[in-house]
Amino acid sequence: QWMHHAFPRECPFPHVSGTTQQVTPRQFQEEAGESSSHDALSLQEEVEVCKDARQLAVAAGEVVSAELPWAPEEELFVKFPTDAKAGSSRGMFRAAMMILAASSLTMVTLSAAATGMAASSRGGLEKCVV
């Protein structure tokens, strides 16, 4: 919500899922009977109406809040696996690949060690050390 208040044109208000429905400007005009765009004069008139309403409220002794509108609802998005079998088979595949990689590394290391041992017994160790 704070992103909407900081950047109102770039970030729309985060309504709770399912409470609003997007409509095109044409659909809005058909449903509401109003235009979806305004010219500078109509916007200035709206600003004046709001100023007058605020002044009337202050004159009547009403408390005018300067707080930003804030909805107490919070919606967290969590993605759950859709199929438990797919998740477990993926985990088993990953474990098998890790075991295969570890055993390949072990074999290469043992092979290099055996080659080094054979070379050192023949006295050619300096040729094998890099």
Side-chain angles (χ1 to χ4, degrees), residues 20-115:
T20 61
Q21 179 181 4
Q22 285 187 334
V23 294
T24 64
R26 179 177 287 156
Q27 289 172 330
F28 175 79
Q29 193 167 3
E30 290 172 358
E31 292 174 11
E34 299 177 12
S35 175
S36 61
S37 61
H38 297 282
D39 58 355
L41 181 62
S42 64
L43 291 176
Q44 186 60 37
E45 289 173 1
E46 187 67 29
V47 168
E48 294 301 324
V49 167
C50 290
K51 282 182 184 178
D52 293 342
R54 182 178 174 90
Q55 289 172 353
L56 288 174
V58 170
E62 295 179 19
V63 176
V64 179
S65 175
E67 293 182 14
L68 296 172
W70 196 268
E73 295 87 14
E74 184 175 348
E75 194 169 15
L76 303 175
F77 298 99
V78 179
K79 183 178 178 184
F80 292 103
T82 56
D83 186 14
K85 278 190 165 185
S88 65
S89 65
R90 192 175 331 155
M92 289 176 60
F93 178 73
R94 179 180 289 164
M97 290 295 113
M98 292 290 281
I99 291 170
L100 181 66
S103 61
S104 296
L105 181 64
T106 303
M107 290 178 67
V108 168
T109 305
L110 290 176
S111 175
T115 303

Side-chain angles (χ1 to χ4, degrees), residues 1-8 11-20 69-75 77:
Q1 291 182 36
W2 68 268
M3 289 286 289
H4 167 70
H5 295 300
F7 308 102
C11 184
F13 186 81
H15 295 283
V16 178
S17 295
T19 59
T20 61
W70 196 268
E73 295 87 14
E74 184 175 348
E75 194 169 15
F77 298 99

